[in-house]
Amino acid sequence: MPNPFQQAQFHLSVPDPAKLPTDTGLEVAFAGRSNAGKSSALNAISGQKTLARTSKTPGRTQHIVVFELDHDHRLIDLPGYGYAKVSRKIIQKWQHALNLYLTTRQSLYGLILMSDIRHPLKDSDLQMLDWCHQANMPVHVLLTKADKLSRGQAHSTWHQCEKRLQKDYQQVTTQLFSSKSGTGLDQAREVLANWLFSDGDDVT
Ligand SMILES: Nc1nc2c(ncn2[C@@H]2O[C@H](COP(=O)(O)OP(=O)(O)OP(=O)(O)O)[C@@H](O)[C@H]2O)c(=O)[nH]1
Ligand SMILES: [Mg+2]
């Protein structure tokens, strides 16, 4: 199957949602705690190693970064929430930008929420899920870095997370994911393709 995300191209990077491209078409944003693997997931999904900037240091992505698939479809890399190796003031600035983006962006269809499988669904993730639930925004959770656990441990954590989410967030879907090993890559692409292109539109 051709990968429609391979044609993702860097479009622009803005600190302030007011500077985003025109709010038309559809986009999906990659959200999650700092260092959860958002930018790495974007690279793996697009099949381009250096599309989005990644780093060992939490707080790498500091802007809202826009990748265009075509004129009407975009993937968005967001700064992380929670712990980051940057000042409190900068975190507050990001939080403000993130809130503004989430609450005002009409073309935002849904969130891919990355959560590190070694410490999944932290309070800040649950807060994000609460917000999405209230806003009726679809969320698909990637339990990232699955390669860091054994297969058995990864599946057991996944089932615990599913159980937790079933309680309060029945619409949320989850999967195992690893940018490193490729676990769950096809599934993540399928979710994104359904969200962005299910109206029969095709980017090829
Ligand atoms: N083993 C392993 N490491 C990963 C995986 N995904 C990301 N990493 C590593 O985790 C670190 C953070 O990855 P990023 O993709 O930069 O994370 P981010 O969520 O974009 O981080 P911020 O932009 O700082 O919020 C990097 O050192 C990556 O190499 C994975 O699937 N497996
Ligand atoms: Mg990043």
Side-chain angles (χ1 to χ4, degrees), residues 38-39 53-54 60-61 77-78:
K38 300 174 291 297
S39 302
R53 284 201 199 141
T54 65
R60 167 70 256 193
T61 308
D77 194 12
L78 295 173

Side-chain angles (χ1 to χ4, degrees), residues 125-164:
D125 295 321
L126 296 175
Q127 274 167 25
M128 182 60 102
L129 289 172
D130 279 335
W131 184 86
C132 291
H133 185 68
Q134 275 160 30
N136 222 359
M137 177 159 300
V139 183
H140 182 64
V141 175
L142 303 185
L143 294 169
T144 56
K145 312 191 189 182
D147 59 279
K148 296 268 195 186
L149 299 185
S150 70
R151 211 180 127 79
Q153 281 175 320
H155 274 83
S156 148
T157 307
W158 179 29
H159 290 308
Q160 283 164 24
C161 290
E162 288 258 277
K163 230 169 150 182
R164 169 68 188 90

